[in-house]
Amino acid sequence: MARGNNNRPPPAGSSACSSLVHPSPNMEDISSPYHLSNADHPGIILIPHSLLGPNYNSWRRSMFLALTAKNKVSFVNGSLLQPTVDDLLFSSWNRCNSMVTSWILNSVSKDIANSLMYFSTAYDLWADLRARFHQANGPRIFQLKQQISSLHQGALDVNGYYMKLKIL
């Protein structure tokens, strides 16, 4: 007579293959970048304002936060590389990459979106946007430095002065 419960999972480090029980653990695990919820679809708009060009830095920050919340930032920052076509995760990666690409295309102006349609990865698309719009604006930097250097507390309380300084 055997003792113990035969329904217990195998101990950690054993050679029993748990992938037979759960064929797609990466997609079911909500902490996985491959996980997509029922609410995730290509038409959703993740942030309230579109990229127009001059607003790139605020758009990028908002989009980065939204992608981080969706656990998809690894598709744009290059930390999750595209698997080979024969890899079991390729179709999941491709599906999520397409979803992230759609989200980005939905968050840019129509003119910008038209120029991005043929990028094959969200990473390449993100890199192109950075190369195009993340450039230092010399005259604006000069203007901000002048405003900061001429800022005086005057009648403002410390909080008001600090807020004005932070805005600049």
Side-chain angles (χ1 to χ4, degrees):
M1 184 163 142
R3 299 181 115 190
N5 183 352
N6 289 335
N7 294 329
R8 281 191 282 177
S14 74
S15 61
C17 181
S18 64
S19 65
L20 295 176
V21 176
H22 301 289
S24 303
N26 287 328
M27 289 169 278
E28 293 172 7
D29 179 9
I30 62 170
S31 65
S32 168
Y34 296 112
H35 176 76
L36 291 170
S37 73
N38 291 336
D40 293 333
H41 59 85
I44 64 173
I45 297 173
L46 297 182
I47 59 174
H49 58 280
S50 293
L51 172 64
L52 303 172
N55 66 337
Y56 172 76
N57 289 328
S58 61
W59 173 88
R60 181 186 177 280
R61 176 73 176 140
S62 296
M63 199 62 191
F64 194 83
L65 289 171
L67 291 172
T68 300
K70 292 279 193 184
N71 199 20
K72 300 293 182 272
V73 77
S74 57
F75 287 89
V76 298
N77 71 8
S79 63
L80 184 62
L81 301 176
Q82 179 178 355
T84 59
V85 177
D86 58 339
D87 191 314
L88 292 175
L89 289 175
F90 178 78
S91 63
S92 297
W93 181 92
N94 194 38
R95 185 170 52 105
C96 290
N97 177 68
S98 295
M99 188 71 71
V100 172
T101 300
S102 295
W103 292 341
I104 294 171
L105 291 173
N106 288 338
S107 71
V108 301
S109 71
K110 297 295 181 202
D111 293 335
I112 295 172
N114 287 336
S115 68
L116 301 172
M117 294 303 272
Y118 298 101
F119 282 98
S120 59
T121 68
Y123 175 78
D124 292 339
L125 191 150
W126 191 260
D128 180 76
L129 289 172
R130 187 181 196 300
R132 251 196 276 183
F133 299 112
H134 185 74
Q135 298 172 4
N137 185 341
R140 179 69 177 140
I141 291 171
F142 177 75
Q143 180 187 29
L144 288 172
K145 284 183 178 181
Q146 273 191 320
Q147 288 176 336
I148 289 171
S149 67
S150 65
L151 183 65
H152 299 288
Q153 183 175 352
L156 295 172
D157 63 356
V158 174
N159 286 334
Y161 178 70
Y162 179 75
M163 288 299 294
K164 216 170 180 182
L165 182 63
K166 286 297 280 183
I167 288 170
L168 290 174

